[in-house]
Amino acid sequence: DEVAEIESLEILAVIQNHLRQMPSGTGKLPILRRLMITGNRIASLSSSFGPPKLQSLVAEGNEIQTVPADILQRCPDLSELRLAGNPMSRGFEDLEDRGS
């Protein structure tokens, strides 16, 4: 969890790094506002993912199939969620219901 040790991190960009999973500890960053993980091979957002101050998650061009249904509860400030280019199979129905 080396990333989690950088408690003052507000913006993290790991773009086109061939990552297969989220950087360990990302969900524990207390003031992370913007996370850009575009162009990797990430297959899912873990059920424990949820930086509390996250405003923007840009995860285009990965292999994400679902989004945790409670992501809006864990990231109440999330206003930008970009998932174009992912093989989404389900998840948005729950997000729409909970985001209203």
Side-chain angles (χ1 to χ4, degrees):
D1 288 7
E2 292 176 8
V3 171
E5 294 177 14
I6 310 171
E7 294 183 0
S8 61
L9 192 63
E10 293 185 35
I11 299 171
L12 177 60
V14 284
I15 298 169
Q16 296 183 351
N17 284 284
H18 306 286
L19 299 177
R20 295 192 176 278
Q21 59 187 13
M22 296 286 287
S24 178
T26 305
K28 298 177 184 175
L29 294 168
I31 62 170
L32 184 68
R33 293 182 296 112
R34 185 165 172 80
L35 177 60
M36 296 165 284
I37 54 171
T38 301
N40 287 290
R41 297 177 181 161
I42 297 170
S44 67
L45 300 176
S46 78
S47 58
S48 64
F49 176 78
K53 301 291 184 188
L54 192 68
Q55 298 171 358
S56 173
L57 173 58
V58 181
E60 297 170 319
N62 280 284
E63 298 174 8
I64 298 170
Q65 295 182 19
T66 61
V67 174
D70 63 345
I71 193 169
L72 295 177
Q73 279 88 19
R74 286 184 277 135
C75 305
D77 296 332
L78 188 65
S79 60
E80 179 183 25
L81 177 61
R82 294 173 47 188
L83 297 167
N86 284 285
M88 299 294 296
S89 60
R90 63 181 177 83
F92 282 108
E93 304 82 17
D94 291 336
L95 284 175
E96 289 173 4
D97 292 342
R98 296 174 200 281
S100 302

